[in-house]
PDB file of all heavy atoms in Angstrom:
ATOM      1  N   GLY A 904      63.646 -12.924  15.694  1.00 86.00           N
ATOM      2  CA  GLY A 904      63.156 -12.217  16.892  1.00 86.00           C
ATOM      3  C   GLY A 904      64.056 -11.101  17.330  1.00 86.00           C
ATOM      4  O   GLY A 904      63.796 -10.447  18.371  1.00 86.00           O
ATOM      5  N   LEU A 905      65.068 -10.784  16.558  1.00 87.00           N
ATOM      6  CA  LEU A 905      65.980  -9.713  16.883  1.00 87.00           C
ATOM      7  C   LEU A 905      65.649  -8.463  16.064  1.00 87.00           C
ATOM      8  O   LEU A 905      65.120  -8.569  14.950  1.00 87.00           O
ATOM      9  CB  LEU A 905      67.416 -10.141  16.587  1.00 87.00           C
ATOM     10  CG  LEU A 905      67.943 -11.339  17.409  1.00 87.00           C
ATOM     11  CD1 LEU A 905      69.316 -11.749  16.850  1.00 87.00           C
ATOM     12  CD2 LEU A 905      68.063 -10.948  18.898  1.00 87.00           C
ATOM     13  N   PRO A 906      65.959  -7.283  16.611  1.00 87.00           N
ATOM     14  CA  PRO A 906      65.605  -6.026  15.839  1.00 87.00           C
ATOM     15  C   PRO A 906      66.629  -5.738  14.739  1.00 87.00           C
ATOM     16  O   PRO A 906      67.335  -4.735  14.736  1.00 87.00           O
ATOM     17  CB  PRO A 906      65.685  -4.987  16.961  1.00 87.00           C
ATOM     18  CG  PRO A 906      66.674  -5.509  17.933  1.00 87.00           C
ATOM     19  CD  PRO A 906      66.469  -7.012  17.975  1.00 87.00           C
ATOM     20  N   ILE A 907      66.707  -6.669  13.774  1.00 90.00           N
ATOM     21  CA  ILE A 907      67.605  -6.542  12.673  1.00 90.00           C
ATOM     22  C   ILE A 907      66.835  -5.877  11.517  1.00 90.00           C
ATOM     23  O   ILE A 907      65.789  -6.383  11.113  1.00 90.00           O
ATOM     24  CB  ILE A 907      68.172  -7.877  12.271  1.00 90.00           C
ATOM     25  CG1 ILE A 907      69.000  -8.539  13.395  1.00 90.00           C
ATOM     26  CG2 ILE A 907      69.054  -7.721  10.991  1.00 90.00           C
ATOM     27  CD1 ILE A 907      69.438  -9.959  13.112  1.00 90.00           C
ATOM     28  N   VAL A 908      67.369  -4.817  10.947  1.00 91.00           N
ATOM     29  CA  VAL A 908      66.761  -4.148   9.822  1.00 91.00           C
ATOM     30  C   VAL A 908      67.336  -4.672   8.505  1.00 91.00           C
ATOM     31  O   VAL A 908      68.550  -4.661   8.321  1.00 91.00           O
ATOM     32  CB  VAL A 908      66.975  -2.579   9.927  1.00 91.00           C
ATOM     33  CG1 VAL A 908      66.373  -1.909   8.723  1.00 91.00           C
ATOM     34  CG2 VAL A 908      66.420  -2.041  11.232  1.00 91.00           C
ATOM     35  N   SER A 909      66.464  -5.167   7.679  1.00 89.00           N
ATOM     36  CA  SER A 909      66.889  -5.729   6.398  1.00 89.00           C
ATOM     37  C   SER A 909      66.883  -4.645   5.334  1.00 89.00           C
ATOM     38  O   SER A 909      66.003  -3.760   5.308  1.00 89.00           O
ATOM     39  CB  SER A 909      66.012  -6.866   5.981  1.00 89.00           C
ATOM     40  OG  SER A 909      66.470  -7.477   4.796  1.00 89.00           O
ATOM     41  N   ALA A 910      67.872  -4.686   4.419  1.00 91.00           N
ATOM     42  CA  ALA A 910      67.950  -3.694   3.337  1.00 91.00           C
ATOM     43  C   ALA A 910      67.951  -4.415   1.987  1.00 91.00           C
ATOM     44  O   ALA A 910      68.443  -5.577   1.860  1.00 91.00           O
ATOM     45  CB  ALA A 910      69.200  -2.860   3.482  1.00 91.00           C
ATOM     46  N   ASP A 911      67.434  -3.724   0.968  1.00 86.00           N
ATOM     47  CA  ASP A 911      67.298  -4.326  -0.367  1.00 86.00           C
ATOM     48  C   ASP A 911      68.558  -4.239  -1.211  1.00 86.00           C
ATOM     49  O   ASP A 911      68.881  -5.097  -2.015  1.00 86.00           O
ATOM     50  CB  ASP A 911      66.119  -3.718  -1.120  1.00 86.00           C
ATOM     51  CG  ASP A 911      64.807  -4.017  -0.414  1.00 86.00           C
ATOM     52  OD1 ASP A 911      64.683  -5.096   0.133  1.00 86.00           O
ATOM     53  OD2 ASP A 911      63.924  -3.124  -0.405  1.00 86.00           O
ATOM     54  N   ASP A 912      69.269  -3.068  -1.062  1.00 89.00           N
ATOM     55  CA  ASP A 912      70.475  -2.854  -1.825  1.00 89.00           C
ATOM     56  C   ASP A 912      71.412  -2.031  -0.982  1.00 89.00           C
ATOM     57  O   ASP A 912      71.086  -1.581   0.111  1.00 89.00           O
ATOM     58  CB  ASP A 912      70.202  -2.206  -3.181  1.00 89.00           C
ATOM     59  CG  ASP A 912      69.401  -0.921  -3.032  1.00 89.00           C
ATOM     60  OD1 ASP A 912      69.775  -0.063  -2.185  1.00 89.00           O
ATOM     61  OD2 ASP A 912      68.426  -0.735  -3.823  1.00 89.00           O
ATOM     62  N   LEU A 913      72.611  -1.735  -1.553  1.00 90.00           N
ATOM     63  CA  LEU A 913      73.606  -1.036  -0.786  1.00 90.00           C
ATOM     64  C   LEU A 913      73.171   0.378  -0.439  1.00 90.00           C
ATOM     65  O   LEU A 913      73.406   0.859   0.726  1.00 90.00           O
ATOM     66  CB  LEU A 913      74.931  -0.997  -1.559  1.00 90.00           C
ATOM     67  CG  LEU A 913      76.158  -0.371  -0.849  1.00 90.00           C
ATOM     68  CD1 LEU A 913      76.320  -0.915   0.545  1.00 90.00           C
ATOM     69  CD2 LEU A 913      77.406  -0.616  -1.706  1.00 90.00           C
ATOM     70  N   GLY A 914      72.565   1.077  -1.354  1.00 92.00           N
ATOM     71  CA  GLY A 914      72.108   2.459  -1.096  1.00 92.00           C
ATOM     72  C   GLY A 914      71.073   2.467  -0.028  1.00 92.00           C
ATOM     73  O   GLY A 914      71.094   3.315   0.915  1.00 92.00           O
ATOM     74  N   ASP A 915      70.142   1.527  -0.070  1.00 93.00           N
ATOM     75  CA  ASP A 915      69.099   1.414   0.952  1.00 93.00           C
ATOM     76  C   ASP A 915      69.692   1.105   2.310  1.00 93.00           C
ATOM     77  O   ASP A 915      69.312   1.651   3.315  1.00 93.00           O
ATOM     78  CB  ASP A 915      68.142   0.289   0.522  1.00 93.00           C
ATOM     79  CG  ASP A 915      66.937   0.107   1.456  1.00 93.00           C
ATOM     80  OD1 ASP A 915      66.368   1.134   1.848  1.00 93.00           O
ATOM     81  OD2 ASP A 915      66.641  -1.029   1.812  1.00 93.00           O
ATOM     82  N   ALA A 916      70.705   0.221   2.296  1.00 93.00           N
ATOM     83  CA  ALA A 916      71.369  -0.179   3.560  1.00 93.00           C
ATOM     84  C   ALA A 916      72.074   1.048   4.218  1.00 93.00           C
ATOM     85  O   ALA A 916      71.955   1.238   5.415  1.00 93.00           O
ATOM     86  CB  ALA A 916      72.401  -1.245   3.276  1.00 93.00           C
ATOM     87  N   ALA A 917      72.742   1.814   3.442  1.00 94.00           N
ATOM     88  CA  ALA A 917      73.435   2.994   4.015  1.00 94.00           C
ATOM     89  C   ALA A 917      72.470   4.006   4.531  1.00 94.00           C
ATOM     90  O   ALA A 917      72.632   4.551   5.631  1.00 94.00           O
ATOM     91  CB  ALA A 917      74.325   3.645   2.889  1.00 94.00           C
ATOM     92  N   ARG A 918      71.378   4.268   3.789  1.00 94.00           N
ATOM     93  CA  ARG A 918      70.398   5.239   4.299  1.00 94.00           C
ATOM     94  C   ARG A 918      69.750   4.758   5.570  1.00 94.00           C
ATOM     95  O   ARG A 918      69.524   5.549   6.503  1.00 94.00           O
ATOM     96  CB  ARG A 918      69.326   5.445   3.189  1.00 94.00           C
ATOM     97  CG  ARG A 918      69.791   6.234   2.002  1.00 94.00           C
ATOM     98  CD  ARG A 918      68.656   6.610   1.106  1.00 94.00           C
ATOM     99  NE  ARG A 918      68.082   5.411   0.402  1.00 94.00           N
ATOM    100  CZ  ARG A 918      68.494   4.912  -0.711  1.00 94.00           C
ATOM    101  NH1 ARG A 918      69.553   5.468  -1.340  1.00 94.00           N
ATOM    102  NH2 ARG A 918      67.935   3.821  -1.263  1.00 94.00           N
ATOM    103  N   LYS A 919      69.473   3.467   5.645  1.00 94.00           N
ATOM    104  CA  LYS A 919      68.797   2.896   6.842  1.00 94.00           C
ATOM    105  C   LYS A 919      69.693   2.946   8.056  1.00 94.00           C
ATOM    106  O   LYS A 919      69.223   3.279   9.174  1.00 94.00           O
ATOM    107  CB  LYS A 919      68.324   1.483   6.535  1.00 94.00           C
ATOM    108  CG  LYS A 919      67.057   1.458   5.705  1.00 94.00           C
ATOM    109  CD  LYS A 919      66.579   0.018   5.462  1.00 94.00           C
ATOM    110  CE  LYS A 919      65.245   0.045   4.687  1.00 94.00           C
ATOM    111  NZ  LYS A 919      64.783  -1.358   4.345  1.00 94.00           N
ATOM    112  N   ILE A 920      71.014   2.573   7.930  1.00 94.00           N
ATOM    113  CA  ILE A 920      71.852   2.574   9.139  1.00 94.00           C
ATOM    114  C   ILE A 920      72.095   3.977   9.619  1.00 94.00           C
ATOM    115  O   ILE A 920      72.096   4.232  10.872  1.00 94.00           O
ATOM    116  CB  ILE A 920      73.193   1.858   8.877  1.00 94.00           C
ATOM    117  CG1 ILE A 920      73.961   1.660  10.218  1.00 94.00           C
ATOM    118  CG2 ILE A 920      74.066   2.562   7.887  1.00 94.00           C
ATOM    119  CD1 ILE A 920      73.222   0.891  11.241  1.00 94.00           C
ATOM    120  N   VAL A 921      72.249   4.964   8.709  1.00 93.00           N
ATOM    121  CA  VAL A 921      72.402   6.347   9.159  1.00 93.00           C
ATOM    122  C   VAL A 921      71.138   6.852   9.892  1.00 93.00           C
ATOM    123  O   VAL A 921      71.211   7.475  10.926  1.00 93.00           O
ATOM    124  CB  VAL A 921      72.726   7.253   7.930  1.00 93.00           C
ATOM    125  CG1 VAL A 921      72.690   8.719   8.328  1.00 93.00           C
ATOM    126  CG2 VAL A 921      74.098   6.882   7.360  1.00 93.00           C
ATOM    127  N   ALA A 922      69.987   6.490   9.306  1.00 93.00           N
ATOM    128  CA  ALA A 922      68.724   6.875   9.966  1.00 93.00           C
ATOM    129  C   ALA A 922      68.507   6.206  11.312  1.00 93.00           C
ATOM    130  O   ALA A 922      68.055   6.871  12.272  1.00 93.00           O
ATOM    131  CB  ALA A 922      67.538   6.527   9.040  1.00 93.00           C
ATOM    132  N   GLU A 923      68.905   4.932  11.409  1.00 91.00           N
ATOM    133  CA  GLU A 923      68.754   4.175  12.676  1.00 91.00           C
ATOM    134  C   GLU A 923      69.653   4.789  13.772  1.00 91.00           C
ATOM    135  O   GLU A 923      69.266   4.911  14.951  1.00 91.00           O
ATOM    136  CB  GLU A 923      69.089   2.740  12.473  1.00 91.00           C
ATOM    137  CG  GLU A 923      68.031   1.928  11.663  1.00 91.00           C
ATOM    138  CD  GLU A 923      66.758   1.764  12.439  1.00 91.00           C
ATOM    139  OE1 GLU A 923      66.790   1.601  13.652  1.00 91.00           O
ATOM    140  OE2 GLU A 923      65.651   1.781  11.775  1.00 91.00           O
ATOM    141  N   VAL A 924      70.886   5.152  13.406  1.00 91.00           N
ATOM    142  CA  VAL A 924      71.808   5.745  14.353  1.00 91.00           C
ATOM    143  C   VAL A 924      71.289   7.121  14.881  1.00 91.00           C
ATOM    144  O   VAL A 924      71.328   7.421  16.038  1.00 91.00           O
ATOM    145  CB  VAL A 924      73.202   5.866  13.740  1.00 91.00           C
ATOM    146  CG1 VAL A 924      74.113   6.759  14.609  1.00 91.00           C
ATOM    147  CG2 VAL A 924      73.847   4.507  13.613  1.00 91.00           C
ATOM    148  N   LYS A 925      70.752   7.890  13.928  1.00 89.00           N
ATOM    149  CA  LYS A 925      70.233   9.193  14.315  1.00 89.00           C
ATOM    150  C   LYS A 925      69.000   9.012  15.217  1.00 89.00           C
ATOM    151  O   LYS A 925      68.799   9.766  16.203  1.00 89.00           O
ATOM    152  CB  LYS A 925      69.862  10.000  13.069  1.00 89.00           C
ATOM    153  CG  LYS A 925      71.033  10.521  12.256  1.00 89.00           C
ATOM    154  CD  LYS A 925      70.574  11.307  11.041  1.00 89.00           C
ATOM    155  CE  LYS A 925      71.748  11.901  10.270  1.00 89.00           C
ATOM    156  NZ  LYS A 925      71.330  12.594   9.054  1.00 89.00           N
ATOM    157  N   LYS A 926      68.193   8.022  14.920  1.00 85.00           N
ATOM    158  CA  LYS A 926      67.028   7.721  15.745  1.00 85.00           C
ATOM    159  C   LYS A 926      67.430   7.306  17.169  1.00 85.00           C
ATOM    160  O   LYS A 926      66.810   7.738  18.150  1.00 85.00           O
ATOM    161  CB  LYS A 926      66.195   6.609  15.066  1.00 85.00           C
ATOM    162  CG  LYS A 926      64.847   6.398  15.727  1.00 85.00           C
ATOM    163  CD  LYS A 926      64.211   5.104  15.249  1.00 85.00           C
ATOM    164  CE  LYS A 926      64.087   5.077  13.689  1.00 85.00           C
ATOM    165  NZ  LYS A 926      63.433   3.791  13.235  1.00 85.00           N
ATOM    166  N   ALA A 927      68.457   6.486  17.223  1.00 77.00           N
ATOM    167  CA  ALA A 927      68.927   6.000  18.551  1.00 77.00           C
ATOM    168  C   ALA A 927      69.543   7.106  19.396  1.00 77.00           C
ATOM    169  O   ALA A 927      69.472   7.074  20.587  1.00 77.00           O
ATOM    170  CB  ALA A 927      69.948   4.861  18.324  1.00 77.00           C
ATOM    171  N   ALA A 928      70.131   8.088  18.696  1.00 69.00           N
ATOM    172  CA  ALA A 928      70.786   9.193  19.416  1.00 69.00           C
ATOM    173  C   ALA A 928      69.697  10.096  20.072  1.00 69.00           C
ATOM    174  O   ALA A 928      69.953  10.774  21.011  1.00 69.00           O
ATOM    175  CB  ALA A 928      71.651   9.994  18.474  1.00 69.00           C
TER     176      ALA A 928
END
């Protein structure tokens, strides 16, 4: 029930966290 974003691999994880931070800004 938490807004946790799941990633498939390390590259995917890095791209997603950078995108999420930019979106939050």
